[in-house]
């Protein structure tokens, strides 16, 4: 890679990381290409992104995005997204099926986080699940009212 290509990658990653709520750094040593493709497929389904980046370029991009303070070494793959829960779920779910995939560290909402925090975020319900719960709560009174009206109607018909 020449200097302009590296600068382009850094600027692209900086913009991506600035808009991301979570950036999860994972070790992918020993995974096959098909494993990485399945990780990318899972990430696309959850509207997250996955990319292998050179450590120096990633360090510069993270620093430019205001996410500094973590030492990046060895081989890393980065998982990030606009939804912190989705990015965390991608990393944790893929790690369950692949022993060689390990979560190292993360930035969640601009703060450094360890593996435990990433796993905790992965257990939270996602956006769609929360919207479903909210809709169910809102429909509760209407549902109860219609059940009550139906019971009143049956009682009147019997009498």
């Amino acid at each position: 890679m020449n200097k302009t290509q590296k600068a382009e990658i850094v600027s692209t990653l900086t913009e991506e990381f600035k808009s991301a709520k979570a950036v999860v750094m994972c070790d992918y040593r020993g995974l096959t290409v098909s494993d990485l493709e399945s990780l990318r497929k899972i990430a696309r389904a959850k509207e997250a992104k996955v990319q292998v980046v050179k450590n120096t370029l990633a360090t510069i991009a993270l620093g430019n995005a205001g996410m500094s303070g973590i030492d990046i070494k060895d081989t890393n793959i980065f998982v990030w997204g606009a939804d912190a829960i989705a990015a965390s779920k991608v990393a944790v779910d893929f790690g369950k099926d692949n022993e060689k995939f390990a979560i190292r560290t993360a930035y969640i909402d601009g703060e450094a986080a360890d593996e435990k925090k990433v796993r905790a975020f992965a257990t939270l319900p996602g956006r769609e699940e929360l919207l479903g719960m909210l809709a169910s709560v809102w429909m509760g009174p209407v549902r109860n009212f219609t059940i009550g009206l139906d019971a009143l109607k049956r009682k009147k018909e019997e009498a």
Side-chain angles (χ1 to χ4, degrees), residues 74-87:
D74 295 327
T75 56
N76 293 301
I77 190 165
F78 292 81
V79 179
W80 72 90
D83 183 10
I85 295 170

Side-chain angles (χ1 to χ4, degrees), residues 41-88:
K41 185 178 178 183
I42 293 168
R44 255 183 264 126
K46 295 195 180 206
E47 297 180 9
K49 296 182 181 180
V50 175
Q51 188 171 344
V52 176
V53 184
K54 287 185 160 206
N55 291 343
T56 53
L57 300 179
T59 302
I60 293 167
L62 287 169
N64 292 344
M67 301 176 188
S68 58
I70 290 182
D71 187 30
I72 300 174
K73 52 186 164 187
D74 295 327
T75 56
N76 293 301
I77 190 165
F78 292 81
V79 179
W80 72 90
D83 183 10
I85 295 170
S88 299

Side-chain angles (χ1 to χ4, degrees), residues 12-112:
T12 304
L13 286 175
T14 299
E15 292 305 314
E16 293 281 338
F17 291 160
K18 279 183 181 177
S19 64
K21 293 287 183 189
V23 178
V24 183
M25 288 165 264
C26 306
D27 182 14
Y28 71 100
R29 232 178 307 171
L31 292 179
T32 63
V33 172
S34 62
D35 291 337
L36 292 176
E37 286 305 315
S38 66
L39 172 61
R40 286 185 174 99
K41 185 178 178 183
I42 293 168
R44 255 183 264 126
K46 295 195 180 206
E47 297 180 9
K49 296 182 181 180
V50 175
Q51 188 171 344
V52 176
V53 184
K54 287 185 160 206
N55 291 343
T56 53
L57 300 179
T59 302
I60 293 167
L62 287 169
N64 292 344
M67 301 176 188
S68 58
I70 290 182
D71 187 30
I72 300 174
K73 52 186 164 187
D74 295 327
T75 56
N76 293 301
I77 190 165
F78 292 81
V79 179
W80 72 90
D83 183 10
I85 295 170
S88 299
K89 282 187 179 193
V90 168
V92 170
D93 291 346
F94 188 75
K96 287 178 186 175
D97 299 333
N98 298 287
E99 300 170 356
K100 296 176 183 175
F101 186 82
I103 298 168
R104 288 197 174 144
T105 187
Y107 286 103
I108 297 176
D109 290 328
E111 295 179 359

